[in-house]
Amino acid sequence: MSLTIADLLKGEKAIIKHFVAKNIPLKLIEMGCIEGNSVELVQRAPLKDPLYLNINGTYLAIRKEIAAQISIEKL
Amino acid sequence: MSDRLKVALIGNPNTGKTSLFNILTGLNQKVGNYPGITVDKKVGTTKLSAKVKADVIDLPGSYSLNPSSLDEDIAVKVLSDKQNANYPNVVVVVADVENLKRNLLLYTQVKDLGIPTILAINMEDQMKARGITIDTETLEKDLETKIALISSKRNKGIYKLKELILNYQQLSLEPCFKSFESLLDKRDDQAKQQKHRETIKRYQFLTSVLNKSYGIDKSQVKDLRSRLDAVLTHHIAGYIIFFAILFFIFQGLFSWTEGPMDFIDASFASLSEWIKNILPDGAFTNLLAEGVIPGIGGVVIFIPQIAFLFLFLSVLEESGYMSRVVFLMDRVMKKYGLSGKSVVPLISGTACAIPAIMAARNIESWKERLITILVTPFTTCSARIPVYAIIISLVIPNESVLGGLINLQGLTLMLLYLLGFATAIFAAYILDKVLKIQSKSYFVIEMPDYKLPLLKNVFYHVVEKTKAFVFEAGKIILAISILLWVLASYGPGEGFNNAEEIVKKEYAELPSDELQTKIASYKLENSYIGILGKSIEPIIRPLGYDWKIGIALITSFAAREVFVGTLATIYSVGSEEEISIKNKMKKEVHPTTMKPVYNFASGISLLLFYAFAMQCMSTVAIVKRETNSWKWPMIQLVGMTIFAYVSALAAFQFLK
């Protein structure tokens, strides 16, 4: 199993590698979650969920279950 | 109307689109409904030049034309259908200068629809601080459009924008992408794949365009965000700050609004008095003085609380803090079928369920939003307080326990508040299990930059929401209060029509003012509503109530706080001083059991009934408006009433 956004530690950056479009909200894709874009874990909420991300300059939060659908390559 | 220009504003949330709308239209704006749906439609007029006026429509904030919420659906409906009454002559896409690429995604989609499209790049004032440079001419050429650099905060570039709108016929209608088939109304997985690929292509295009004309020097960015986030979303400090803010809001909501609310109450009372004095006696005068005016008063009295609540919410929203609360609370709420975004309605519900239910709109999952709407009325709203206060004072001893540490009456009130929250959460949990609604919770929330709220935006927001409450809920409250007045003022047959003679015969020796109140209560007993009260007595007897409480239950069906007033009338207490009602209530003896009507068992039963029953016409009305069907408010009404009945029944039968 490859690494996903859910595996990122606070402050870590990575490149988005792959995801299956039907498993994640289209809104997320439109906000810049696209293969090749950078992603940084800004912060985790207290109970480890949701995740506060910086995707290519857009700051947003998503739930862990979605984050686990998006595989990455750490920088 | 038709020879005027129609201009539509569209843009991502948090781009200052609404600020621009406020600048263009000022107070010449109104909120309506799109036919058949509950999303607010904001339209206004603006003067483009000395001669030309335009209707401006503020489309809901959208990230794209692939709708993922009710609000975003609207933009698509308006822009993709030339027959739509709101179809514009020209669209202004408002974009945030800092996140231009993402904002331009929406631009390319709008442009592809073949409508003249202008690009307004907002927050021009931020460019220097953020080290941003834009080559407008090159960008205009590559995007085949005209660009206005504006600052809605500093009111800059508006003139240029108006000029561009006036000359919209010179705009190119060439789409950015010719090859994409229209996927606007397709939602299956295959269409999603296609939209995914399409989005990637659009981004590739935008990246190559922006490489030529857009520069950002990241070293210039001073990071207010990370410093504030470190505290505000901290796993301990974050919650402490959140609860401190909540506490502050509650304080404000109850203590600062007390003065204005008392003033409104008194004003309407004297208005009624005045009407009675200047108009000749008669049914019309009574309807006005006892039905219509108190009815309007019942709406107006909530204005201070609602305005305050929206003031607080608007400031929290505008500053960017609300997204952090949602972020902090999501995990906790998710367990119960709610969303982090449900926190706002649940908190607001302690003031009044009406604005609270309206605040549930931000929740993108229909199921989570519906559950939020359905459970919000369980939270202890301010209208329950007068009911709780009088019953607690009757049946709970005013004693302290634990060495004077805890007052039993205060403890009971606090328990009732907790009971409200707990029931809401519990009901959400059940509904989550029961409701078979397929709606994937695609929780995505943008975490916007922190910024100081613009006074103007806050002001418009408060005015708009308060107006919506007054007119939408007001109509219903007014209608019900008139109906109640009629039912209480007329009755069939001898008992009602000859009340005066009957009472005078029986109590001939009483002084005249006491006689009057006796007559009034006799009339009420024989009025339509009195008869109704008696007819429901068999149903409510197992709960420990008599027919008089039955009347109060019926009249307070429109609004809980009516309970106390009705009992005051029934027990023929002329003045509304609570102490005297209380004494009368204390003396009430059940005709069959010869026990006090208000004893511990029936009191607890009443408290539970009011904690759980819907008993609020305005909430029914707003739920109808927000869910756009009678189905959900009816389910809610019946469900809550049954739950209330069963709980009250169990409590009374167990305790008696």
Side-chain angles (χ1 to χ4, degrees), chain B residues 374-392:
Chain B
L374 292 178
V375 305
T376 293
F378 279 121
T379 53
T380 304
C381 66
S382 52
R384 284 177 173 101
I385 294 172
V387 183
Y388 285 174
I390 195 157
I391 295 172
I392 287 178

Side-chain angles (χ1 to χ4, degrees), chain B residues 80 113 179-186 194-195 198:
Chain B
S80 60
L113 296 173
S179 52
F180 293 141
E181 59 169 311
S182 174
L183 296 167
L184 289 181
D185 30 277
K186 295 197 188 123
Q194 262 172 291
K195 284 175 184 173
E198 188 188 306

Side-chain angles (χ1 to χ4, degrees), chain A residues 52, chain B residues 130 224-226 228-229 232-233 318-321 324 448-452:
Chain A
Y52 179 175
Chain B
R130 306 273 173 170
L224 176 68
R225 167 194 292 270
S226 61
L228 277 177
D229 274 340
L232 294 179
T233 63
E318 283 258 316
S319 62
Y321 179 67
R324 274 69 184 181
D449 279 336
Y450 289 104
K451 51 177 185 267
L452 270 180

Side-chain angles (χ1 to χ4, degrees), chain A residues 19 21-22 24-27 30-31 34-35 43 45-47 49-50 52 57-61 63 65, chain B residues 63-64 66 99 102 189 192 196 203 225 229 233 239 324 327 330-331 334 368 441-442 445-447:
Chain A
F19 55 84
K22 75 170 167 48
I24 74 164
L26 191 59
K27 199 172 173 183
E30 288 159 357
M31 288 174 106
I34 286 180
E35 289 89 341
Q43 197 164 337
L47 293 159
D49 189 18
Y52 179 175
T58 294
Y59 290 87
L60 50 86
R63 287 179 178 169
E65 67 219 36
Chain B
Y63 288 101
S64 79
N66 301 314
N99 213 328
R102 196 194 73 209
D189 282 349
K192 204 168 160 191
H196 176 201
Y203 269 124
R225 167 194 292 270
D229 274 340
T233 63
Y239 289 104
R324 274 69 184 181
F327 174 68
D330 185 61
R331 184 67 187 81
K334 199 174 85 176
E368 289 175 347
S441 175
Y442 278 157
I445 183 166
E446 193 184 352
M447 306 289 270

Side-chain angles (χ1 to χ4, degrees), chain B residues 358-488:
Chain B
M358 294 200 274
R361 286 198 180 160
N362 305 331
I363 302 169
E364 62 274 87
S365 147
W366 166 238
K367 187 176 176 184
E368 289 175 347
R369 176 168 173 232
L370 181 65
I371 293 179
T372 307
I373 290 175
L374 292 178
V375 305
T376 293
F378 279 121
T379 53
T380 304
C381 66
S382 52
R384 284 177 173 101
I385 294 172
V387 183
Y388 285 174
I390 195 157
I391 295 172
I392 287 178
S393 71
L394 277 172
V395 302
I396 307 289
N398 190 11
E399 286 166 16
S400 295
V401 291
L402 290 180
L405 218 57
I406 297 168
N407 175 283
L408 284 180
Q409 295 191 341
L411 181 72
T412 311
L413 188 62
M414 200 186 81
L415 286 177
L416 284 165
Y417 264 92
L418 290 178
L419 182 69
F421 278 120
T423 314
I425 298 288
F426 173 71
Y429 182 76
I430 301 287
L431 285 169
D432 183 42
K433 296 273 172 282
V434 172
L435 288 178
K436 292 276 172 277
I437 295 174
Q438 277 302 322
S439 116
K440 275 191 190 166
S441 175
Y442 278 157
F443 178 88
V444 178
I445 183 166
E446 193 184 352
M447 306 289 270
D449 279 336
Y450 289 104
K451 51 177 185 267
L452 270 180
L454 283 180
L455 215 62
K456 196 172 184 176
N457 286 356
V458 172
F459 173 74
Y460 282 122
H461 184 82
V462 170
V463 170
E464 177 201 309
K465 294 288 177 186
T466 311
K467 247 163 71 181
F469 164 75
V470 172
F471 291 111
E472 293 298 326
K475 278 184 278 189
I476 310 258
I477 299 180
L478 187 60
I480 295 284
S481 54
I482 292 175
L483 183 71
L484 282 180
W485 176 84
V486 171
L487 290 178

Side-chain angles (χ1 to χ4, degrees), chain B residues 13-155:
Chain B
N14 307 310
T15 50
K17 179 176 61 70
T18 301
S19 313
L20 176 63
F21 178 72
N22 288 339
I23 288 177
L24 287 174
T25 62
L27 273 173
N28 294 318
Q29 49 175 277
K30 57 175 198 273
V31 179
N33 272 332
Y34 293 96
I37 28 172
T38 57
V39 176
D40 285 337
K41 169 177 137 184
K42 286 168 65 179
V43 285
T45 53
T46 190
K47 250 187 158 159
L48 293 174
S49 68
K51 280 187 214 140
V52 187
K53 276 191 177 178
D55 291 319
V56 185
I57 171 165
D58 185 18
L59 293 171
S62 322
Y63 288 101
S64 79
L65 291 185
N66 301 314
S68 62
S69 77
L70 216 61
D71 283 11
E72 291 179 351
D73 229 11
I74 297 302
V76 177
K77 287 221 171 80
V78 169
L79 295 181
S80 60
D81 174 15
K82 289 196 164 65
Q83 305 306 315
N84 191 301
N86 297 304
Y87 188 77
N89 301 96
V90 53
V91 180
V92 176
V93 177
V94 186
D96 173 359
V97 71
E98 235 181 289
N99 213 328
L100 197 54
K101 195 193 287 181
R102 196 194 73 209
N103 282 262
L104 286 180
L105 180 76
L106 177 65
Y107 164 83
T108 62
Q109 291 177 325
V110 175
K111 187 92 165 47
D112 285 359
L113 296 173
I115 312 173
T117 308
I118 294 168
L119 182 60
I121 301 182
N122 196 10
M123 309 198 198
E124 178 260 352
D125 51 290
Q126 292 286 313
M127 283 173 67
K128 212 168 169 192
R130 306 273 173 170
I132 297 171
T133 51
I134 298 179
D135 175 355
T136 321
E137 265 176 51
T138 312
L139 194 57
E140 279 185 340
K141 220 168 69 200
D142 285 337
L143 294 177
E144 296 181 88
T145 184
K146 289 287 173 194
I147 295 176
L149 280 180
I150 63 167
S151 164
S152 59
K153 198 161 133 200
R154 306 209 192 289
N155 215 338

